Amino acid sequence: MVYPSRGYQKDRHLLLFFIILVAWETGSGQVHYSVSEEAKHGTFVGRIAQDLGLELAELVPRLFRVASKGRGDLLEVNLQNGILFVNSRIDREELCGRSLECSIHLEVIVDRPLQVFHVEVEVKDINDNPPVFAGTQKNLFIAESRSLDSRFPLEGASDADIGENAMLTYRLSPNEYFSLEVPTNHEQLKPLGLVLRKPLDREESPKLHLVLTATDRGKPELTGTIQLLVEVLDANDNAPAFDRTLYAVKLPENVPNGTLVIKLNASDLDEGLNGDIIYSFSSDVFPDIKSKFYIDPISGEIISIGHLDFEESKAYKIRVEAIDKGYLPLAGHCTVVVEVLDTNDNAPELTVTSLSLPISEDAQPGTVITLINVSDRDSGADGQVTCSLTPHVPFKLVSTFKNYYSLVLDSALDRESMANYELVVTARDGGSPSLSATASMSVEVADVNDNAPTFAQPEYTVFVKENNPPGSHIFTVSAWDADAQENARVSYSLVERRVGERALSSYVSVHAESGKVYALQPLDHEELELLQFQVSARDAGVPPLGSNVTLQVFVLDENDNAPALLPPGAGGGAGAVSELVSRSVGAGHVVAKVRAVDADSGYNAWLSFELQPAAGGGRSPFRVGLYTGEISTTRALDEADAPRQRLLVLVKDHGEPALTATATVLLSLVESGQALKASSPASAGAAGPEVALVDVNVYLIIAICAVFSLLVLTLLLYVALRCSAPPTEGAWGPGKPRLVCSSAVGSWSYSQQRRQKVCSGEGPPKTDLMAFSPSLPQGPSSTDNL
């Protein structure tokens, strides 16, 4: 076996150590780069992948990444080419402050296998910050008495850079009073300062303007400046002085608070505190002056703060002093005399000493209502007062004696025209400008009962349907009284009178307070068509006054009466008409007439006639006029017609609902001679309540007698022809039926006068008139229509 020598083994150990060291530095060694601050984005820093021994193709698969201790966004690695570049702005002063060394430490990490590399990037300083002073201006206050070579320290400038870029030199602007003392490197503890080289004179140069400039040693050089303002302070060797020792001011009385009285101005040749002046009243000034005036300590303005009254004080003497703020303060004095001028500052005063209210509206002119006292604190013309009253009122002011006035009634009053007067009394003095005062008073006019109740119209027309319920309200009367209170409280009553045989109060009543008129019982149009009466309205005054109003109450008709048939003669019975008809009459001959009346009025009394059909159903040779009631033939009679004809006529009014009545007409058909002879007894008025049928034998006897008494029969025939007109209706009574209206179609109806006073002969007959003409079928005319 061959053993190596000891020297060989030693060399082998050194080689192994070197290899291990190289491997360590390759895996965990530190790479150093440098970059200037403020470098632009993308500036090349170094080939970090190559310097770390990494292949470019391995960067992405091995998850190559960079982490920094601090700000990791300043630098970035391009994974495509492995170059480290500037990613964002790098400011060395912001990153490291004033530290001489400034570096960015990066950790580069790769995986598979895990390796960590340390990279240090040094940030180099550039001269990017100029020298900066603490402010733009520094004020120095130096007394003019300072000795030469006096030193005044200054604060130097600062530079955020380092090294040569922060090395500063100073220079002072040229002047004859100061020099700049700059410490050397070994005198760092001695500050920068100014040294006084020439005595200061405030009167010659009160202010000095200097400029201190600091310059660094960078490339390029940067500078900074500060303005040095040297103010020369004076010694307090001058006292404040006023322009005059006496000021005279005239001020009107009653000036408002805050009015400027005078502005004092004292001057001091000194400056600074020695020239600052404070104004004040003298310590021995009276208290009332301090309560009325105020002096501003800075501006010297004297202002009024209290009420000035000429009557209280005509003048004020004010002593004022001005004191400076020197170490040993000096003072100046003056006197201000304020003369108060009299003005018309007192308005008249009004006092109502007595008041007699309310005043009656019937008071006589000259009546005293109230006394008024006026006064004015001013004197002379300012205290002379005149009074006036609101125009256009029925009152006047009368001066009784000095400063006293009486308010008296000037004309008649009428409470209904004006119940209350608002008066304004104005008192005005003789000043210039004049002052005035007013006093308001309310004069109430008391009412007297001088107005009677009045109705809106003297007469009212009221329409009431008949058959009203008892106690129904038919109208309300209302009267108005222009007076007030009790004089205007109206009560109502009926003016009693007789209505026929009865008292008015049995028909109507009136409510005393409301004026409502009530019908106490049902009214009947046929009995009482018009009820006329008066209602009295009286007030509650003393004495009471009253007036009347007339009410015309028309009772409106309702269809409450059926048609009534009139008898054919004085002795006939109602409801049946009996006539003899000759067979020889032709068509259209009137053979009988049905007469009927209706106690109602208007439409309710407008009657129509209808012929009822025969019982056997045969056609009747007769017809009846629709509105005349006349029965006439429709054709010539013949032997085939029955000798006795019984006709039923229906009489109907036009009310709602319509009411009817039935009339029976008995016709006996006879030969012409028999009819002529039988008509004579009828013409003499011998008909009874109901005409009986004439026996044939009676007519035969009459015919035989006629042969023997031809002359008598001729006379009788003449009389019969003259008296063949229908019987008159005079048997009904004094109330004769009257035709309401006639037209081409005949009569509308007969209106029966049923009122009590008419039936008893009292008053005029009733008049009914329908104001329309109905369209009705044409019917036969009759002499009765005339």
Side-chain angles (χ1 to χ4, degrees):
M1 174 178 294
V2 179
Y3 288 93
S5 65
R6 179 175 295 180
Y8 176 79
Q9 290 180 354
K10 184 178 181 179
D11 294 337
R12 186 179 179 183
H13 289 166
L14 290 175
L15 180 59
L16 180 60
F17 177 78
F18 179 78
I19 294 173
I20 294 174
L21 180 60
V22 171
W24 169 259
E25 290 185 357
T26 303
S28 59
Q30 181 171 326
V31 179
H32 183 83
Y33 298 109
S34 64
V35 65
S36 297
E37 64 172 333
E38 305 295 341
K40 296 182 179 180
H41 173 75
T43 300
F44 174 81
V45 178
R47 299 182 182 277
I48 189 171
Q50 179 180 349
D51 294 339
L52 294 178
L54 300 176
E55 297 293 336
L56 295 179
E58 297 178 351
L59 297 182
V60 175
R62 294 189 64 184
L63 301 179
F64 180 90
R65 60 188 181 276
V66 177
S68 66
K69 297 179 180 179
R71 301 188 179 185
D73 58 345
L74 299 178
L75 301 172
E76 190 59 64
V77 177
N78 189 336
L79 298 180
Q80 303 298 327
N81 53 23
I83 294 176
L84 181 66
F85 61 92
V86 176
N87 185 45
S88 59
R89 176 178 175 270
I90 300 175
D91 187 358
R92 194 199 67 81
E93 288 74 30
E94 179 182 354
L95 192 62
C96 300
R98 297 190 59 82
S99 177
L100 295 178
E101 296 182 359
C102 184
S103 300
I104 300 174
H105 297 277
L106 304 177
E107 289 184 354
V108 179
I109 303 172
V110 292
D111 293 334
R112 304 171 186 174
L114 176 63
Q115 288 182 293
V116 178
F117 303 94
H118 296 275
V119 178
E120 180 181 7
V121 180
E122 179 185 359
V123 180
K124 294 181 178 181
D125 182 48
I126 63 173
N127 192 23
D128 59 343
N129 292 283
V132 177
F133 288 93
T136 59
Q137 178 176 315
K138 181 176 178 60
N139 296 330
L140 298 176
F141 299 93
I142 302 174
E144 62 179 342
S145 60
R146 293 295 295 269
S147 60
L148 295 178
D149 296 328
S150 296
R151 192 176 187 280
F152 306 96
L154 299 175
E155 185 177 354
S158 63
D159 197 317
D161 296 324
I162 60 174
E164 291 293 327
N165 296 330
M167 297 297 291
L168 302 179
T169 59
Y170 297 92
R171 68 178 182 274
L172 186 65
S173 60
N175 67 95
E176 58 180 334
Y177 292 99
F178 295 95
S179 65
L180 184 65
E181 184 179 19
V182 180
T184 59
N185 292 336
H186 62 277
E187 294 178 335
Q188 292 295 329
L189 296 178
K190 188 176 182 180
L192 184 70
L194 293 179
V195 179
L196 182 62
R197 299 302 182 185
K198 180 181 179 180
L200 298 175
D201 186 358
R202 185 195 61 81
E203 288 72 23
E204 180 181 351
S205 300
K207 292 183 180 182
L208 299 176
H209 295 274
L210 306 176
V211 178
L212 178 61
T213 304
T215 306
D216 61 22
R217 297 181 182 179
K219 294 188 182 300
E221 293 181 349
L222 298 178
T223 61
T225 61
I226 185 173
Q227 301 289 330
L228 300 179
L229 177 60
V230 180
E231 296 188 14
V232 182
L233 301 180
D234 188 26
N236 189 20
D237 55 353
N238 294 283
F242 289 96
D243 299 336
R244 290 178 290 173
T245 58
L246 179 63
Y247 296 90
V249 180
K250 294 183 179 181
L251 191 67
E253 64 175 336
N254 293 331
V255 293
N257 292 340
T259 300
L260 176 65
V261 178
I262 190 173
K263 178 178 174 61
L264 299 177
N265 183 23
S267 60
D268 195 318
L269 298 178
D270 297 325
E271 288 193 353
L273 295 178
N274 297 330
D276 289 344
I277 298 175
I278 296 178
Y279 301 90
S280 63
F281 294 143
S282 298
S283 59
D284 58 349
V285 74
F286 291 105
D288 63 331
I289 294 179
K290 291 183 178 180
S291 65
K292 297 181 182 299
F293 300 98
Y294 166 78
I295 185 169
D296 190 292
I298 304 301
S299 64
E301 294 179 347
I302 298 178
I303 301 172
S304 65
I305 60 172
H307 174 70
L308 299 181
D309 192 352
F310 175 81
E311 291 73 22
E312 178 183 344
S313 179
K314 296 179 175 56
Y316 296 92
K317 180 184 286 187
I318 307 172
R319 290 182 58 83
V320 180
E321 61 182 9
I323 304 174
D324 61 23
K325 297 181 181 179
Y327 172 69
L328 295 175
L330 301 178
H333 300 84
C334 73
T335 301
V336 179
V337 178
V338 179
E339 182 183 358
V340 180
L341 301 178
D342 186 26
T343 60
N344 187 23
D345 59 338
N346 293 291
E349 297 180 358
L350 291 170
T351 305
V352 179
T353 58
S354 63
L355 195 63
S356 177
L357 295 176
I359 179 172
S360 177
E361 65 176 322
D362 59 354
Q364 296 299 318
T367 303
V368 178
I369 301 172
T370 183
L371 296 179
I372 302 173
N373 179 26
V374 297
S375 62
D376 196 314
R377 293 181 56 193
D378 296 323
S379 59
D382 296 341
Q384 295 178 359
V385 182
T386 58
C387 289
S388 60
L389 188 64
T390 305
H392 310 299
V393 292
F395 306 95
K396 65 180 180 179
L397 289 174
V398 177
S399 178
T400 55
F401 47 93
K402 182 179 180 180
N403 295 336
Y404 278 91
Y405 290 85
S406 296
L407 179 67
V408 300
L409 182 63
D410 189 38
S411 58
L413 298 175
D414 185 8
R415 191 206 65 83
E416 289 69 38
S417 299
M418 182 68 71
N420 190 75
Y421 292 90
E422 297 295 334
L423 305 181
V424 178
V425 179
T426 302
R428 189 177 300 276
D429 60 24
S432 180
S434 63
L435 299 179
S436 63
T438 59
S440 300
M441 64 183 68
S442 179
V443 178
E444 181 182 357
V445 181
D447 182 54
V448 296
N449 192 25
D450 56 348
N451 290 279
T454 58
F455 293 92
Q457 56 192 62
E459 184 177 275
Y460 293 95
T461 300
V462 183
F463 296 93
V464 181
K465 290 185 178 182
E466 65 175 333
N467 302 323
N468 57 282
S472 61
H473 171 241
I474 61 175
F475 192 69
T476 300
V477 294
S478 178
W480 177 76
D481 197 311
D483 295 323
Q485 298 179 355
E486 291 297 319
N487 296 331
R489 186 163 58 87
V490 179
S491 60
Y492 303 92
S493 62
L494 287 176
V495 178
E496 188 62 72
R497 71 177 185 87
R498 304 292 297 180
V499 180
E501 299 297 329
R502 302 171 58 183
L504 174 65
S505 56
S506 64
Y507 286 95
V508 292
S509 68
V510 61
H511 192 272
E513 295 181 0
S514 65
K516 292 184 177 181
V517 180
Y518 299 93
L520 300 180
Q521 63 182 10
L523 300 177
D524 189 358
H525 172 80
E526 290 71 36
E527 176 186 353
L528 188 63
E529 183 178 344
L530 171 62
L531 179 60
Q532 183 171 322
F533 59 92
Q534 288 186 330
V535 176
S536 174
R538 300 179 69 83
D539 58 28
V542 178
L545 301 177
S547 62
N548 297 339
V549 66
T550 301
L551 268 68
Q552 289 186 344
V553 180
F554 286 91
V555 182
L556 301 180
D557 181 56
E558 289 189 343
N559 193 25
D560 57 347
N561 292 281
L565 298 174
L566 297 178
V577 177
S578 204
E579 294 289 345
L580 297 177
V581 180
S582 175
R583 289 182 179 272
S584 62
V585 297
H589 181 75
V590 176
V591 298
K593 185 170 184 177
V594 177
R595 292 177 176 82
V597 294
D598 196 312
D600 296 321
S601 301
Y603 271 107
N604 299 328
W606 184 15
L607 302 181
S608 60
F609 301 86
E610 297 179 8
L611 185 63
Q612 298 297 312
R619 183 176 180 182
S620 174
F622 300 98
R623 65 180 180 183
V624 64
L626 179 61
Y627 298 107
T628 62
E630 295 177 343
I631 300 175
S632 60
T633 57
T634 60
R635 56 179 175 81
L637 302 177
D638 52 26
E639 296 296 332
D641 295 322
R644 295 180 180 179
Q645 298 284 338
R646 181 183 179 87
L647 304 180
L648 295 179
V649 178
L650 180 65
V651 184
K652 180 172 64 174
D653 60 25
H654 285 75
E656 291 292 341
L659 302 179
T660 61
T662 302
T664 302
V665 179
L666 300 177
L667 299 178
S668 298
L669 303 183
V670 297
E671 297 301 329
S672 58
Q674 295 176 351
L676 182 62
K677 295 177 181 179
S679 61
S680 297
S683 301
E690 184 178 353
V691 179
L693 294 177
V694 181
D695 192 14
V696 178
N697 296 329
V698 175
Y699 291 109
L700 293 176
I701 294 173
I702 294 174
I704 296 173
C705 292
V707 174
F708 296 100
S709 304
L710 181 59
L711 182 60
V712 177
L713 288 178
T714 303
L715 180 62
L716 292 176
L717 181 59
Y718 175 78
V719 174
L721 292 176
R722 296 288 297 174
C723 299
S724 62
T728 62
E729 288 81 9
W732 181 255
K736 178 182 178 182
R738 184 174 56 84
L739 183 63
V740 175
C741 184
S742 61
S743 65
V745 298
S747 173
W748 285 1
S749 72
Y750 287 91
S751 178
Q752 176 68 28
Q753 307 302 316
R754 301 283 296 182
R755 287 189 300 177
Q756 181 179 359
K757 65 179 181 179
V758 175
C759 294
S760 60
E762 297 179 8
K766 180 177 66 175
T767 303
D768 295 325
L769 177 63
M770 299 301 295
F772 61 91
S773 178
S775 177
L776 300 173
Q778 183 69 28
S781 61
S782 172
T783 57
D784 293 334
N785 294 334
L786 303 178

